[in-house]
Amino acid sequence: MKSAPQSRDNGAERLQLDQEALKAAAKQLDDGAVTPSYGPWRDDIVKLLNDALATELVCILRYKRHYFTAHGVSSPAIADEFLVHANEESAHADKLAERIVQLGGEPDFSPATLLERSHADYDESSELRDMVRANLIAERVAVESYRQMIALIGDKDPTTRRMLEEILADEEEHADELKDWLDN
């Protein structure tokens, strides 16, 4: 679909829009923002996003459990951080679900398959240090999965890539905070 670059008199290529792609974008209005240039990757991207959604939902549940069950001298401050992380993971889940819909997919919130689709595990630790460790492991898994998704998507869907990069930055911050708690 791309137009061949045209040479300038000095041998440099000209930047030009693909007119055929623009014409194709004016058709199939039921697809909303999804134009034909999304190509064959849209379904794969929706699947990646649904798996990320499952991961975020499992992380919310794990953080909430840890928030309510943390005990000990350091627990109030750490429990508060668990709640902050749970709320941030919830915002990530909302962004992912919204993007899935924008891409013409359906967000999968099914509790029956959450754990098998999630990249991270649920955890029922009762000791505060074990909770922090389990959450750090989950954040590191999330960081790695988002890095891989970003690389896979590349320039196939810049909007999704930017959203994933924003979520990745949050997950890296969570991992750093948890590492600091683990070191104390």
Side-chain angles (χ1 to χ4, degrees), residues 9-182:
D9 293 337
N10 63 4
E13 292 181 359
R14 295 187 79 174
L15 299 177
Q16 244 179 323
L17 295 179
D18 180 347
Q19 295 302 313
E20 293 302 315
L22 293 175
K23 288 176 187 171
K27 300 175 182 169
Q28 299 172 330
L29 300 181
D30 290 342
D31 289 341
V34 180
T35 63
S37 65
Y38 277 80
W41 302 287
R42 181 174 65 170
D43 291 342
D44 291 340
I45 292 170
V46 167
K47 177 168 183 343
L48 288 171
L49 294 178
N50 262 316
D51 290 350
L53 175 61
T55 303
E56 296 292 349
L57 294 172
V58 168
C59 288
I60 294 164
L61 295 172
R62 186 186 57 257
Y63 274 125
K64 286 282 197 163
R65 182 184 193 289
H66 290 169
Y67 167 73
F68 285 109
T69 61
H71 59 278
V73 175
S74 302
S75 67
I78 294 176
D80 287 345
E81 194 64 31
F82 289 160
L83 183 59
V84 168
H85 287 201
N87 291 334
E88 290 173 353
E89 304 297 1
S90 182
H92 297 164
D94 291 349
K95 285 180 184 180
L96 290 163
E98 181 179 8
R99 186 63 184 153
I100 290 165
V101 171
Q102 288 172 343
L103 291 172
E106 297 209 9
D108 188 350
F109 285 92
S110 173
T113 60
L114 271 183
L115 285 174
E116 62 193 55
R117 292 182 293 115
S118 173
H119 303 125
D121 294 328
Y122 183 74
D123 179 74
E124 295 181 353
S125 295
S126 58
E127 297 298 320
L128 192 58
R129 185 165 184 77
D130 294 336
M131 291 177 188
V132 173
R133 187 175 189 286
N135 286 311
L136 176 56
I137 290 168
E139 294 294 353
R140 289 176 49 85
V141 168
V143 165
E144 181 59 25
S145 66
Y146 282 118
R147 283 185 186 279
Q148 288 184 29
M149 283 187 275
I150 290 164
L152 287 169
I153 291 171
D155 64 355
K156 295 170 187 73
D157 181 353
T159 302
T160 298
R161 184 190 67 237
R162 281 190 307 274
M163 178 195 67
L164 294 175
E165 288 168 346
E166 290 172 11
I167 294 172
L168 172 61
D170 288 345
E171 303 297 8
E172 288 174 338
E173 184 180 317
H174 293 171
D176 284 342
E177 291 168 352
L178 290 162
K179 173 69 169 87
D180 290 345
W181 284 109
L182 201 57

